[in-house]
Amino acid sequence: MTLRDALAAGTFSVTAELNPPADPVAEPVRRTAAQLKGLVAAANVTDNAAATVKVAPLAAATWMIEEGLEPIMQVTTRDRNIMALQSELLAAWALGVRNILALSGDPLKVGKYADLATKVSDLDSLGLVRLIRQLNDGRLAAGETLGTPTGFYVASAMNPLVDTGEKIEAKIVAGTQFFQSNIVYDVPRFASWFAPLVEGGTVAGIPVLVGVMPPRSSRALEHMHKNIPGVEVDDATFARLAGLTGDEAKEAGVAVAADVITALREVPGVSGVHIMAPGWEAEAVTRVVHATGLEASTI
């Protein structure tokens, strides 16, 4: 069952994140993809996340497909003009990629390339969603007709506590078909923010996968709480990681993520979760999925 089919059927779905390496080698991606296969419905392959240079997501997505793991290929507008974006998308479709997460990309200042690279601003993430909808309709940006239209399943990012209903509605009007959200720890706070979107019909028929990150330290929680807009870590979560390091911290982080997922399953309108665990993807996702008993929902 594809991710699109699972979400259409109302299955509570799990996706994860797979970060390509900087070294031009396939083995790390293949190994992680093989471990995630059967645990998640699909996995995001990131696109130069944190404005750092990594193997192109299209190559990593192709390796994932060969290992039997469905990719959600992230595409950022930061690094490509409108011609390059279309070429990348057409190549992705030709190689079997069926899901795209449209993003603007992290600011260059967060990485090492602020003085070396030029930010490309032909489109923002909303413009990219519109562009993909054109490709799905069989048209390129300059009006050319495609003999073989694409049929991408298009996702946008959702930033809890920060995004307004108007912003989310604009993404849906542009062509967004499902959302993946930023990280959530304080589920009651998220539920209060999310309820008007559900009750008002803004996300009716639009699946929402909520971001979950198993923390490995109090320091990681502190960083997210202070530096990532929309991420609020409650006092109880800080307390569960306080003073822990190494394997004890990992164990506590997995338990935190499992509890967040259990709570999110009770929130109306939540279609699933997106697990992010940079640096220990396969281990963390495996442990969290097993802890929550969600294996069956990904088959």
Side-chain angles (χ1 to χ4, degrees):
M1 181 184 295
T2 66
L3 174 65
R4 187 197 291 245
D5 291 339
L7 293 175
T11 304
F12 190 89
S13 299
V14 182
T15 59
E17 198 154 277
L18 194 159
N19 294 281
D23 291 321
V25 290
E27 195 275 334
V29 176
R30 291 188 181 278
R31 182 178 64 247
T32 301
Q35 291 173 298
L36 293 178
K37 177 186 175 183
L39 289 173
V40 299
N44 288 32
V45 53
T46 57
D47 183 9
N48 288 344
T52 58
V53 175
K54 300 294 174 64
V55 168
L58 180 53
T62 302
W63 298 329
M64 292 164 64
I65 291 170
E66 291 171 351
E67 294 297 328
L69 178 63
E70 183 177 350
I72 302 168
M73 195 176 93
Q74 295 186 2
V75 177
T76 66
T77 63
R78 178 194 57 216
D79 308 325
R80 306 173 182 87
N81 68 15
I82 196 167
M83 291 183 66
L85 284 168
Q86 290 177 107
S87 292
E88 186 91 350
L89 290 163
L90 292 174
W93 184 261
L95 290 170
V97 175
R98 296 296 179 258
N99 312 300
I100 300 290
L101 174 59
L103 301 169
S104 296
D106 295 319
L108 288 172
K109 65 182 180 181
V110 306
K112 297 181 178 181
Y113 282 82
D115 297 327
L116 299 172
T118 300
K119 178 184 176 182
V120 182
S121 56
D122 283 358
L123 300 173
D124 59 10
S125 60
L126 203 62
L128 179 54
V129 172
R130 294 190 188 102
L131 179 67
I132 297 170
R133 185 173 65 181
Q134 278 189 280
L135 298 183
N136 285 351
D137 289 339
R139 292 179 292 111
L140 295 177
E144 310 99 308
T145 300
L146 291 174
T148 303
T150 60
F152 289 115
Y153 191 38
V154 187
S156 287
M158 176 183 285
N159 199 349
L161 312 183
V162 174
D163 285 349
T164 63
E166 290 77 10
K167 183 173 184 177
I168 292 168
E169 186 172 4
K171 291 185 176 184
I172 295 170
V173 170
T176 296
Q177 295 163 291
F178 72 105
F179 284 99
Q180 291 180 319
S181 91
N182 208 336
I183 303 158
V184 167
Y185 288 107
D186 190 338
V187 177
R189 181 82 188 276
F190 166 79
S192 296
W193 172 85
F194 191 54
L197 299 175
V198 176
E199 294 165 2
T202 302
V203 293
I206 306 295
V208 176
L209 303 173
V210 180
V212 176
M213 179 180 282
R216 287 194 284 179
S217 66
S218 295
R219 183 179 178 183
L221 287 174
E222 191 74 29
H223 172 78
M224 288 183 283
H225 184 70
K226 289 184 175 180
N227 299 299
I228 302 179
V231 178
E232 293 195 357
V233 183
D234 56 290
D235 291 341
T237 299
F238 274 120
R240 293 175 69 173
L241 270 291
L244 300 181
T245 59
D247 289 341
E248 287 187 335
K250 281 186 175 182
E251 184 176 354
V254 167
V256 164
D259 288 347
V260 168
I261 291 171
T262 298
L264 285 169
R265 296 192 75 173
E266 302 301 317
V267 177
V270 171
S271 302
V273 291
H274 176 59
I275 304 173
M276 293 169 271
W280 64 314
E281 293 102 329
E283 178 188 352
V285 172
T286 299
R287 292 173 66 175
V288 171
V289 168
H290 288 329
T292 52
L294 283 171
E295 296 93 333
S297 68
T298 64
I299 297 174

